[in-house]
């Protein structure tokens, strides 16, 4: 946002301009100047002519909120003159005779709506530096919220969504122990529709014993994994509701992959690079469907710095589309992956607990691995569903603006 | 798949091995040999010990279809001995005394299920080389399918999904002209649940005139765009149903971005690079939600070659999160983007037609731009919804296996 640059940068740029930039026409007017390649505002940022025009906030050019009314590109139009400057807008005259206004600050850039703080925007966007990574579980990770509280009190819901975004996991207690409750939760909390996979919504995690063709639906242990990476767009947020859990074992545990990866990339830069670039095939092939997709295990943002998502489910990894991959690539990939799994499987990283009936865990499926210990008994009944990260983000931003 | 390498490569590798590779223990047995770093099969591919063990298809290790039963990593286990080789499997003895089988071909790799041809897998995965790019509309692009046919005849549905995947667009005629029909279509055709955004499902595109805060819900022209890039995972497949279209103007037109981009990257490699790496903010800020996400305009697969998706909607692009971006980056981005838009907006690329009541257009929202001419009149009533590409892919693979 407009106030993002620090005072030091401001001063630096200001000094730089005064000393070296001879291109400015120096139509100095209340800290707004017309430069030959655009407009300079507040002495520390510049916008091109085109950018300024595309952001004209006059009623002829702009809908309320954030939509332009016009669809021209305005690439050849230039500012002819700064007519005047008030606290909110620079009033401009254009080469096509349009007279318009360009916003000088957030409040005038988004007329009619309150914008969030930069801190909240960065958190909601899951900018890595805004998140709290945890290499080991500590007291901040496990935070309980009461179902009645988050349902009735927006401040509590806001806290819960901040917890989910910052730490990747939050626990809701006192959820009705009825089937299908989990799929009603998103709409109930104003978090939009659930995201439905072919597994049904909710999917029911019970011990189906011999008839099962999927690890999850047995009593076996489940190693650390993220859900359904055989989707080209795996779901961002996982809701997991415990209806009954009368069994021996069956504890859930969670690991923050982003914390691990940040350590891993420092210690093993080559192996890290392999895991961010080599695409792996994930597949779920059943009577009724054939879901298949490829992802690198670690997916970075296009800036190459922030971690966007992990895609990792040993049981769903498919080897056979790999075979044409050059042998040494696969060999190196396995070496890197084995090292990485040792990192994440270190038991000291685990945040482990046994869910009780009425508990609902909500966690970041792009960041936090989940797993369970094996269990003995039939009375373990869990139901789950997924949500879009975009909907959680949207709600969090509306609650905090 | 196993037979992907050409005979030339086979011969080359074979000759190479015979001449230079002295590491093999030469336990030559029916074209299967034990090498010191793994297993060599059919003289042209090798798997590591670990890879071979993770793919043990014996009933103790493998569920039917494609899931391993065990969750160990097996990184330190090695093959002790090739016991025997039959047409389907290599029978192996392991250092931990396990006796297992490794598949020698597709049919034994996926026991109990028919696998698709490589051609179909590559098409379904939207591998660029398997798609038919169109720089100009020709007779192959517009293919009509009858609603009753695709509903009742799996061969017709298969053709329709192939058309959609290859060309990015298909038209269905004779769809009931009733509201909410479009959201019933995916389940009706076995394409899984619809993907629901906060705009509701279906969203209704009508001329709401003055009350609208969104271009789409007026009679104005809509420039070429993809839908809702302010989602972090924009929907892959767009279904658009015409219920009435009695107005002047209002023709739809479509452009294949992948064809444009392939030309663009050759002519303007620098500008192409900028559009694939600089992230742009997209935003939709309303009373009830604040959807915001960042994407580069052109998103490549991690291999850096294939185009994965375009994210481009001029009306939804937000400028204000940009301001902290360095001025020259923005300046160069605008130059590149202006050039790119000139490419895609060349009218000769347009595939244009006016939808009639009962028409339903289904298109690839990650590849094909859509737009409409302005219209005069109130009797234009369209309804739309979205689907997951993964669900279309799954159905196509099941229909063609």
């Amino acid at each position: 946002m407009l106030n993002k640059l620090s005072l030091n940068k401001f001063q630096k740029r200001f000094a730089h301009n005064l000393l070296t930039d001879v291109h400015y026409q120096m139509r100095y007017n209340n800290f707004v100047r017309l430069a030959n390649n655009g407009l300079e505002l507040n002495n520390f940022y510049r916008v091109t002519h085109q950018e300024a025009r595309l952001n004209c906030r006059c009623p002829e050019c702009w809908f309320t909120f954030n939509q332009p009314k016009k669809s021209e590109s305005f690439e050849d139009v230039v500012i002819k003159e700064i007519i005047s400057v008030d606290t909110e807008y620079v009033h401009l005259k254009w080469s096509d005779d349009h007279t318009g206004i360009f916003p000088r600050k957030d409040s005038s850039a988004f007329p009619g709506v309150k914008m969030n703080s930069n801190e909240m925007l960065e958190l909601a966007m899951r900018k890595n530096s805004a998140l709290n990574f945890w290499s080991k579980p500590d007291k901040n990770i496990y935070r309980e919220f009461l179902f009645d509280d988050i349902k009735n009190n927006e401040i509590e819901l806001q806290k819960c969504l901040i917890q989910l975004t910052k730490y990747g996991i939050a626990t809701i207690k006192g959820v009705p122990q009825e089937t299908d409750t989990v799929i009603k939760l998103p709409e109930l909390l104003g978090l939009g529709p659930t995201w439905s996979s072919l597994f049904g919504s909710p999917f029911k995690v019970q011990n189906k014993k011999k008839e099962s063709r999927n690890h999850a639906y047995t009593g076996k242990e489940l190693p650390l994994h993220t859900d359904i990476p055989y989707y080209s767009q795996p779901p961002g947020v996982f809701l997991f509701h415990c209806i009954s859990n009368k069994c021996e074992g069956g504890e859930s545990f969670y690991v923050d992959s982003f914390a691990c990866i940040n350590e891993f990339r420092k210690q093993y830069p080559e192996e890290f690079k392999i895991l961010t670039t080599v695409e792996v095939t994930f597949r779920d092939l059943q009577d009724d469907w054939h879901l298949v997709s490829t992802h690198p295990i670690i997916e970075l943002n296009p800036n190459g710095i922030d971690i966007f998502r992990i895609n990792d489910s040993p049981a769903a990894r498919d080897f056979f589309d790999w075979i044409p991959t050059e042998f040494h690539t696969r060999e190196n990939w396995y070496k890197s992956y084995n090292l990485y799994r040792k990192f994440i499987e270190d038991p000291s990283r685990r945040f482990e607990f046994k869910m009780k009936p009425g508990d609902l865990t909500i966690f970041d499926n792009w960041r936090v691995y989940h797993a369970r210990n094996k269990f003995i008994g039939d009375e373990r009944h869990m139901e789950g569903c997924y949500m879009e990260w975009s909907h959680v983000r949207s709600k969090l931003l509306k609650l905090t603006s």
Side-chain angles (χ1 to χ4, degrees), chain A residues 4-257:
Chain A
K4 256 183 190 168
L5 290 174
S6 68
L7 192 63
N8 281 344
K9 276 187 190 160
F10 173 101
Q11 292 168 321
K12 232 164 161 181
R13 179 71 65 96
F14 185 69
H16 172 81
N17 287 344
L18 280 181
L19 291 169
T20 66
D21 200 333
V22 293
H23 294 298
Y24 290 103
Q25 295 174 25
M26 292 300 288
R27 296 203 45 160
Y28 187 96
N29 186 346
N30 200 6
F31 291 95
V32 176
R33 301 192 294 190
L34 193 57
N36 65 348
N37 54 0
L39 190 68
E40 184 179 294
L41 290 104
N42 305 344
N43 279 302
F44 65 86
Y45 72 85
R46 278 186 284 170
V47 290
T48 65
H49 294 278
Q50 182 183 7
E51 210 168 11
R53 180 56 176 272
L54 286 167
N55 281 282
C56 182
R57 293 304 199 254
C58 83
E60 192 187 310
C61 292
W62 204 254
F63 283 110
T64 320
F65 294 85
N66 70 325
Q67 275 223 349
K69 282 185 179 171
K70 295 181 178 173
S71 53
E72 292 97 316
S73 74
F74 295 114
E75 60 180 292
D76 298 320
V77 184
V78 294
I79 301 166
K80 293 291 278 185
E81 196 190 335
I82 296 171
I83 301 169
S84 64
V85 180
D86 61 35
T87 52
E88 302 290 323
Y89 296 100
V90 190
H91 298 253
L92 298 165
K93 172 98 176 170
W94 293 84
S95 58
D96 61 352
D97 284 335
H98 180 69
T99 304
I101 53 175
F102 183 81
R104 294 189 65 201
K105 48 189 181 184
D106 292 4
S107 53
S108 40
F110 300 98
V113 66
K114 257 193 94 183
M115 182 48 72
N116 302 78
S117 69
N118 291 329
E119 289 70 21
M120 190 48 69
L121 281 166
E122 292 188 352
L123 175 64
M125 300 289 276
R126 295 168 78 254
K127 196 174 164 165
N128 286 192
S129 60
L131 308 178
N132 288 57
F133 291 176
W134 42 279
S135 296
K136 300 192 187 316
D138 69 35
K139 63 178 168 41
N140 291 318
I141 296 159
Y142 189 76
R143 275 202 62 182
E144 292 181 354
F145 299 88
L146 291 176
F147 177 67
D148 284 339
D149 286 352
I150 60 165
K151 202 177 61 178
N152 302 318
N153 181 340
E154 291 210 324
I155 299 291
E156 279 302 302
L157 177 59
Q158 177 184 320
K159 282 183 193 161
C160 178
L161 299 182
I162 288 174
Q163 174 73 15
L164 166 65
T165 310
K166 266 196 182 163
Y167 295 95
I169 185 163
T171 299
I172 303 167
K173 308 285 282 186
V175 179
Q177 294 158 45
E178 285 154 28
T179 191
D180 288 347
T181 299
V182 68
I183 54 168
K184 293 174 193 154
L185 204 76
E187 296 264 21
L188 189 72
L189 300 177
L191 291 162
T194 58
W195 182 91
S196 300
S197 77
L198 294 179
F199 288 83
S201 199
F203 48 88
K204 301 184 184 193
V205 182
Q206 287 170 296
N207 189 349
K208 295 178 188 166
K209 295 181 187 165
K210 293 221 164 145
E211 56 170 310
S212 180
R213 284 165 172 167
N214 184 315
H215 244 354
Y217 303 139
T218 67
K220 294 183 193 234
E221 65 173 4
L222 283 183
L224 289 163
H225 68 287
T226 62
D227 254 31
I228 60 175
Y230 32 75
Y231 270 85
S232 59
Q233 305 203 125
V237 182
F238 193 132
L239 291 99
F240 201 49
H241 179 211
C242 176
I243 292 177
S244 66
N245 202 6
K246 269 187 228 154
C247 62
E248 200 181 309
E251 299 84 4
S252 307
F253 56 94
Y254 301 88
V255 168
D256 179 7
S257 76

Side-chain angles (χ1 to χ4, degrees), chain A residues 278-346:
Chain A
V278 175
E279 285 184 87
V280 183
T281 303
F282 297 95
R283 195 190 299 274
D284 192 48
L285 180 52
Q286 303 285 347
D287 274 329
D288 295 332
W289 62 72
H290 183 165
L291 291 162
V292 52
S293 201
T294 59
H295 303 282
I297 297 287
I298 302 167
E299 217 173 321
L300 301 180
N301 277 339
N303 68 18
I305 300 164
D306 269 19
I307 308 159
F308 172 63
R309 168 167 65 203
I310 48 157
N311 310 285
D312 189 13
S313 177
R317 211 169 63 232
D318 188 275
F319 306 78
F320 275 79
D321 265 354
W322 278 74
I323 297 296
T325 310
E326 208 262 322
F327 176 73
H328 291 292
T329 304
R330 294 203 319 281
E331 202 177 23
N332 286 332
W333 184 87
Y334 272 101
K335 281 180 192 160
S336 309
Y337 183 69
N338 291 339
L339 263 175
Y340 169 72
R341 288 293 298 196
K342 276 208 180 62
F343 250 72
I344 64 154
E345 283 171 2
D346 173 351

